[in-house]
Amino acid sequence: MSVFGIMAGGIAAVTYSGLGLASDNRNRSIAANLVSEDIDAVNQLDYTDLAADIGSTDTKVRTVGGVAYTVKRAVGWQTTTAGTSICSYTAGGSTASWVVGITTTVTWPAMRSTAAAAHATTFISPPVGNSPSTNSGTVPVTVRGSGGDPVVGVTVGATDGSNVYSSVTDANGCAFLLVAPSTYTLTLNTLGYVDRSGNPAPSMVFSISKGNNVPINLDFDRSGSLSLSTSAPNGALPPSGLPVTLAYQFFQPSGTKVFSGSTFPLTLTNLFPDDYQFWVGDCTDADPSAATWSGGGRDGPASVVALGTTTASVSLGTVAVAATLSGVPVSGASVTASHSATDCPSGSPSVTGYALGTTDASGQVEAALPWGTWTITVTPSVGSPAQQTVIVDPASGSVASLVSVSL
């Protein structure tokens, strides 16, 4: 029966995978047909109607076979010069090869992670006298992923509060905007994507004058996740609420970002695909690579991948507390750990302190803590609390730090 169960489970998994692939292939075929229909409709438009849509994006939903397909049409300037992206345009350059490019992209719910959106582009040459105006400014925006590859189908928008322009990146990752002179806020907004700072809707401000060219290069890719578990001597468990710090060179302004604490394993989402280092805690001496410590180093690097969850372990130290009164173990005493505010950011939970638990019948309790200097406070059910200082050092992280508190 056990063998049969294993075989049945395997057959079910393969069948489910095959059905999922067949469904995705069917959806992709329908999406391709919707792209073709929209491109055919565009080719029937009068140029005057088409010109009114230059720099805009239109989105509609078509339901086929019970599946809602999102059809996005973007209209913008492109170039017919072979091997040349319009994003290579520089101020004062020729616009003789410019045409109006219409890109249609179709997506659907539950797309398989390996499937890109269905899309196609058609080009229409403007009639004589309809070339871009020299009274405008040009903004070539190039969007690339974590590997430097162009990202297709990202909506790029720019607004100065009155005027709104948009375009969708083409096969070169290029979205070209022709705008009136002003100061604009440029935005990217595509579901499931983030910039290198983990921002799903990044923005930037730029100013442009008549005839000027402002090229912009941005990194934007499908996000990934990092799931962290803990590792401490004697298998000690950390208190809830510990913050986690990620180190990544593109985090502004310091190269680190602190995530609010929770219980472990802790999953950090909206991460740009790349390598990260990490540690538990938000105070200066929690960083195992800080000058405070003679040994140790940051955990990682862990490679976060697009649309995936990477698992890793983060190191902690163990604090073993023994509470006694006149040499006799004290059970049932509450034990907390707090950090000096000197090395911690304002509002840090480390300064407020963490509950490590209560002492057992032998007067002891063990808990995992970030690296650093901690004040251990033992509060008995009857009597006055007592304190002791302990240094949890990554150089000796393989053994527990012992704290004896006499009440």
Side-chain angles (χ1 to χ4, degrees), residues 281-286 338-352 354 371 373-374:
D282 57 355
C283 301
T284 303
D285 54 0
S338 60
H339 197 289
S340 169
T342 304
D343 300 321
C344 304
S346 176
S348 169
S350 299
V351 177
T352 306
Y354 303 103
W371 314 120
T373 301
W374 295 89

Side-chain angles (χ1 to χ4, degrees), residues 291-388:
T292 307
W293 310 118
S294 58
R298 297 172 176 177
D299 291 311
S303 298
V304 172
V305 296
L307 300 175
T309 298
T310 300
T311 59
S313 178
V314 62
S315 302
L316 289 165
T318 294
V319 174
V321 180
T324 59
L325 175 62
S326 300
V328 178
V330 177
S331 63
S334 299
V335 181
T336 61
S338 60
H339 197 289
S340 169
T342 304
D343 300 321
C344 304
S346 176
S348 169
S350 299
V351 177
T352 306
Y354 303 103
L356 305 187
T358 57
T359 56
D360 59 17
S362 63
Q364 298 182 2
V365 66
E366 273 191 348
L369 280 175
W371 314 120
T373 301
W374 295 89
T375 297
I376 305 299
T377 302
V378 178
T379 304
S381 56
V382 178
S384 300
Q387 294 181 330
Q388 186 65 265

Side-chain angles (χ1 to χ4, degrees), residues 164-393:
V164 178
Y165 304 92
S166 68
S167 184
V168 174
T169 56
D170 60 17
N172 297 305
C174 170
F176 193 86
L177 302 175
L178 194 67
V179 302
S182 187
T183 297
Y184 291 90
T185 298
L186 182 85
T187 57
L188 300 181
N189 193 354
T190 297
L191 184 65
Y193 283 66
V194 294
D195 68 1
R196 287 192 179 272
S197 294
N199 188 349
S203 65
M204 63 172 293
V205 176
F206 70 92
S207 296
I208 191 167
S209 57
K210 181 177 67 175
N212 195 14
N213 183 67
V214 179
I216 296 173
N217 294 285
L218 298 170
D219 292 333
F220 202 50
D221 206 342
R222 294 166 296 178
S223 64
S225 302
L226 179 61
S227 179
L228 297 175
S229 58
T230 59
S231 173
N234 301 338
L237 300 177
S240 62
L242 292 178
V244 171
T245 301
L246 286 191
Y248 181 48
Q249 60 178 325
F250 294 101
F251 284 154
Q252 299 297 326
S254 62
T256 60
K257 180 184 288 188
V258 177
F259 291 79
S260 300
S262 182
T263 55
F264 289 88
L266 176 63
T267 299
L268 308 179
T269 59
N270 280 346
L271 298 180
F272 190 83
D274 212 336
D275 292 342
Y276 295 82
Q277 292 183 308
F278 41 88
W279 61 91
V280 178
D282 57 355
C283 301
T284 303
D285 54 0
D287 182 354
S289 297
T292 307
W293 310 118
S294 58
R298 297 172 176 177
D299 291 311
S303 298
V304 172
V305 296
L307 300 175
T309 298
T310 300
T311 59
S313 178
V314 62
S315 302
L316 289 165
T318 294
V319 174
V321 180
T324 59
L325 175 62
S326 300
V328 178
V330 177
S331 63
S334 299
V335 181
T336 61
S338 60
H339 197 289
S340 169
T342 304
D343 300 321
C344 304
S346 176
S348 169
S350 299
V351 177
T352 306
Y354 303 103
L356 305 187
T358 57
T359 56
D360 59 17
S362 63
Q364 298 182 2
V365 66
E366 273 191 348
L369 280 175
W371 314 120
T373 301
W374 295 89
T375 297
I376 305 299
T377 302
V378 178
T379 304
S381 56
V382 178
S384 300
Q387 294 181 330
Q388 186 65 265
T389 299
V390 61
I391 297 177
V392 185
D393 187 343

Side-chain angles (χ1 to χ4, degrees), residues 48-72:
T48 304
D49 297 329
L50 185 62
D53 292 332
I54 293 177
S56 68
T57 302
D58 176 67
T59 301
K60 59 185 177 182
V61 176
R62 293 277 305 275
T63 300
V64 180
V67 177
Y69 295 85
T70 300
V71 183
K72 182 190 295 183

